[in-house]
Amino acid sequence: MSADPNAKTPSAKTTPLHDVHTDLGAHLVDFAGYLMPLRYASETAEHRAVRTGAGLFDLSHMGEIFLSGPGAGEALDHALVGNLSPMKVGKARYTMICAPDGGVLDDLIVYRLADETWMVVANAANADVVHDALAERARGFDAAVEDRSAAYGLVALQGPNAQETLARFTGAPLDGLAYYSVLADRVAGIDVLVARTGYTGEDGFELFVDAGDAVRLWRELAAADGVVPCGLAARDSLRLEAGMPLYGNELTAETTPFEAGLGRVVKLDKPVDFVGKSALAAQAQTPAGRRLVGLVARGRRAPRKGYAVVTSDGAPCGVVTSGAPSPTLGKPIAMAYLDTGVEESGLAVDVRGRAEPVDVVALPFYKRS
């Protein structure tokens, strides 16, 4: 008898919404140490629901790390590559935390919730690394660092109908909430931090809620007309179409922001020194050793992570970091690192021993109108 794919492994944690996923018949997998829904039924249908309507995601595995105190902004300026202290209350920013050699330890979103209160949202697999690095780098600053991940549930409502749907449950001024902004309000009678951020390439909201209220919030939103529960598979194909990096694929400790085409987040001109500045400043003056590109397959076989990119004569010249069929484009797509100096014409991906021709395209593959 085969093993139950939804059986909880001894080491896997669960989110506050675990029983909801089980009741919905989700296919559960161990992701970043958490038992998470990969899909509920059809990952393609879930993907299309987000592109055309509204999809609901459980992101409660993400890490929420708070910095507070008069020196919290300065501590973040020292710890991260971005210039965070000038941010206004109610704003958010995409940034990274790097090692001294410039390698990316994680990509983050930082929210300024009050004059002396900041929330750093980290990827689940890196939350402990980020917390420990922030605690170490905040020494000498008048700032306290606290991991509050266990206290929060995180639900994302994404898609062109997300605002219309969320407005049914809140009086919050969603029309005036700009992209990468956050406010505190009530949704379905529940205290929530409402952030206009996401990882799908669509408009949408990420809702930070007390872990004890996560189930009630999910059930209220999921009962709305047109809202489709979505799993990690759809989230991955959506972010791939949108050209958004995934830590462990496009971003690693061996990758710098400049190699990933994200040098814009590195603020070398900010008035304080920061960890990794010397290495990143040097790289900013020299061509990167490789570059991240988009690939569209001419055939139907999808490039996958780890597959080699090859020249017309079969010589390896790069590696695929993410790849999958694109439900929106109707073609297989991928992101890949190409070696310096490689011509972009005549390339192929080695798909199980067969060279599948690909075209190099600009990222993202998909951009909402």
Side-chain angles (χ1 to χ4, degrees), residues 32-84:
Y34 285 81
L35 204 58
M36 298 292 293
L38 181 67
R39 69 180 70 85
Y40 297 89
S42 163
E43 59 197 64
T44 299
E46 292 168 19
H47 178 112
R48 288 176 174 154
V50 176
R51 288 281 181 254
T52 61
L56 191 63
F57 298 83
D58 177 14
L59 306 182
S60 304
H61 60 310
M62 302 290 280
E64 290 86 16
I65 302 161
F66 281 70
L67 278 79
S68 58
E74 292 176 297
L76 286 169
D77 286 345
H78 170 66
L80 310 180
V81 302
N83 193 22
L84 289 309

Side-chain angles (χ1 to χ4, degrees), residues 44-337:
T44 299
E46 292 168 19
H47 178 112
R48 288 176 174 154
V50 176
R51 288 281 181 254
T52 61
L56 191 63
F57 298 83
D58 177 14
L59 306 182
S60 304
H61 60 310
M62 302 290 280
E64 290 86 16
I65 302 161
F66 281 70
L67 278 79
S68 58
E74 292 176 297
L76 286 169
D77 286 345
H78 170 66
L80 310 180
V81 302
N83 193 22
L84 289 309
S85 58
M87 281 173 56
K88 294 181 179 179
V89 173
K91 293 299 183 181
R93 186 165 297 167
Y94 176 76
T95 187
M96 297 181 187
I97 183 167
C98 289
D101 66 359
V104 179
L105 298 179
D106 201 14
D107 61 333
L108 314 163
I109 297 182
V110 178
Y111 300 86
R112 189 169 192 175
L113 303 181
D115 285 342
E116 297 184 0
T117 305
W118 309 70
M119 180 173 67
V120 177
V121 176
N123 287 297
N126 299 329
D128 289 342
V129 170
V130 172
H131 171 265
D132 293 348
L134 287 175
E136 172 65 28
R137 297 176 188 188
R139 291 178 183 173
F141 296 90
D142 190 0
V145 180
E146 182 183 3
D147 186 349
R148 300 185 192 171
S149 303
Y152 281 92
L154 177 55
V155 174
L157 183 66
Q158 299 281 300
N161 295 345
Q163 178 174 324
E164 176 188 348
T165 300
L166 189 61
R168 303 175 203 168
F169 299 92
T170 182
L174 301 180
D175 280 338
L177 187 65
Y179 189 47
Y180 266 65
S181 296
V182 62
L183 57 79
D185 213 298
R186 293 176 70 79
V187 175
I190 302 166
D191 290 332
V192 173
L193 285 174
V194 181
R196 197 163 209 151
T197 46
Y199 192 55
T200 63
E202 296 295 339
D203 186 22
F205 303 88
E206 294 182 324
L207 309 175
F208 298 85
V209 60
D210 184 280
D213 291 326
V215 170
R216 183 157 62 100
L217 179 65
W218 173 283
R219 287 180 172 157
E220 291 280 356
L221 295 174
D225 290 342
V227 174
V228 176
C230 300
L232 293 175
R235 189 166 183 251
D236 191 52
S237 56
L238 289 159
R239 70 92 194 167
L240 176 57
E241 288 185 346
M244 295 178 171
L246 175 66
Y247 195 88
N249 291 35
E250 289 71 42
L251 299 174
T252 70
E254 290 72 45
T255 306
T256 71
F258 290 100
E259 290 176 319
L262 294 168
R264 65 183 182 276
V265 308
V266 181
K267 304 304 180 183
L268 295 170
D269 59 349
K270 63 180 173 177
V272 301
D273 193 16
F274 63 91
V275 178
K277 181 176 181 178
S278 296
L280 291 170
Q283 188 172 107
Q285 301 301 315
T286 59
R290 53 183 183 157
R291 65 190 186 280
L292 187 67
V293 301
L295 303 177
V296 175
R298 296 181 185 176
R300 300 181 63 181
R301 304 178 80 196
R304 299 290 185 179
K305 179 181 177 180
Y307 287 8
V309 182
V310 297
T311 61
S312 57
D313 59 3
C317 63
V319 63
V320 173
T321 53
S322 297
S326 166
T328 304
L329 277 65
K331 301 176 181 179
I333 59 174
M335 288 193 281
Y337 278 109

